């Protein structure tokens, strides 16, 4: 199995939609990885649901560039997604009691993973995380920060969009804060 990681560009929009339309991604279809980019209560566009409005807003981000995240492909088939970017791109992080800034370091944030049920357990999220680190490093980031889930027993995969702490530890991230027992803040030095 060959996993390739590519930035989400307008030409790959159909692959992004395919990941979100897949079985096991119904929660993601309500968000389209926009919830953390918004601040306050989400407003729907006139005549649209909140989910459709978020999808439109993500499409506008993709069309405007730079890419708001990365897609994973397995043998050419879209198999996963991670959203990342400079912390300032995610308004909700700035006011979150759990994910608020730890310090003034200019970090990039990994916020969300979406892996369809058919592709889970095959290392897709791990590959996306490594791809995210490489992508952020290439764009000059110094730190990559994330907000994983740390629970004693495995939770439902549909609710692990931040990823489990164990995945980040394997990738070399170190805990820098913990404001809630199950939600550490972790970082990876990119330089």
């Amino acid at each position: 199995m060959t996993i390739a990681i590519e930035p989400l560009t307008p030409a790959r929009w159909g692959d992004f939609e395919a990941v979100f339309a897949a079985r096991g991604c119904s929660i993601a279809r309500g968000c389209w990885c926009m919830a953390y980019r918004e601040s306050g209560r989400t407003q729907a566009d006139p005549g649209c649901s909140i989910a459709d409005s978020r999808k439109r807003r993500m499409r506008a981000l993709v069309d405007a560039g730079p890419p708001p995240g990365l897609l994973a492909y397995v043998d050419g088939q879209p198999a996963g997604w991670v959203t990342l970017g400079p912390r300032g791109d995610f308004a909700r992080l700035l006011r979150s009691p759990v994910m608020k800034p730890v310090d003034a370091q200019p970090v990039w944030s990994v916020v969300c993973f979406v892996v369809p049920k058919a592709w889970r357990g095959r290392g897709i999220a791990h590959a996306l995380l490594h791809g995210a680190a490489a992508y952020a490093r290439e764009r000059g980031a110094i730190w990559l920060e994330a907000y994983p889930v740390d629970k004693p027993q495995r939770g439902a995969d549909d609710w692990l969009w931040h990823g489990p702490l164990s995945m980040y530890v394997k990738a070399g991230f170190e805990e820098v804060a913990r404001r809630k027992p199950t939600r550490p803040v972790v970082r990876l030095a990119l330089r």
Side-chain angles (χ1 to χ4, degrees):
M1 179 172 89
T2 303
I3 303 173
I5 306 298
E6 300 291 344
L8 174 57
T9 60
R12 293 190 182 100
W13 179 257
D15 295 338
F16 177 72
E17 286 181 307
V19 168
F20 280 68
R23 186 170 177 251
C25 298
S26 61
I27 295 169
R29 282 192 296 279
C31 176
W32 292 93
C33 274
M34 288 300 296
Y36 284 91
R37 293 177 184 276
E38 300 166 344
S39 181
R41 188 166 181 189
T42 301
Q43 299 294 319
D45 296 334
C48 289
S49 67
I50 288 175
D52 287 341
S53 297
R54 285 176 165 166
K55 183 178 178 182
R56 285 181 178 186
R57 292 173 192 151
M58 177 55 84
R59 179 64 197 242
L61 277 176
V62 172
D63 288 345
L70 308 171
L71 289 164
Y73 293 86
V74 175
D75 299 329
Q77 297 297 311
W81 159 258
V82 63
T83 188
L84 78 151
R87 180 191 241 321
D89 290 357
F90 302 98
R92 190 155 294 171
L93 294 181
L94 300 176
R95 61 182 185 82
S96 167
V98 174
M99 299 175 276
K100 66 185 175 186
V102 173
D103 53 31
Q105 290 292 328
V107 302
W108 273 46
S109 296
V110 172
V111 177
C112 235
F113 292 87
V114 178
V115 178
K117 191 168 188 157
W119 295 107
R120 293 179 191 156
R122 299 185 190 193
I124 305 299
H126 290 271
L128 282 163
L129 183 57
H130 287 286
Y135 182 79
R137 185 180 295 112
E138 290 167 5
R139 275 138 196 87
I142 299 168
W143 297 98
L144 188 59
E145 187 173 271
Y147 320 95
V149 176
D150 182 21
K151 293 186 177 179
Q153 57 269 59
R154 186 178 173 99
D157 289 342
D158 293 351
W159 292 94
L160 274 175
W161 53 80
H162 295 293
L165 177 61
S166 60
M167 178 176 71
Y168 292 96
V169 170
K170 282 182 185 176
F173 284 73
E174 295 181 4
E175 187 170 326
V176 294
R178 187 179 290 246
R179 299 176 179 117
K180 187 176 174 184
T182 60
R183 297 301 306 281
V185 177
V186 296
R187 277 192 190 159
L188 178 69
L190 299 176
R191 294 188 190 181

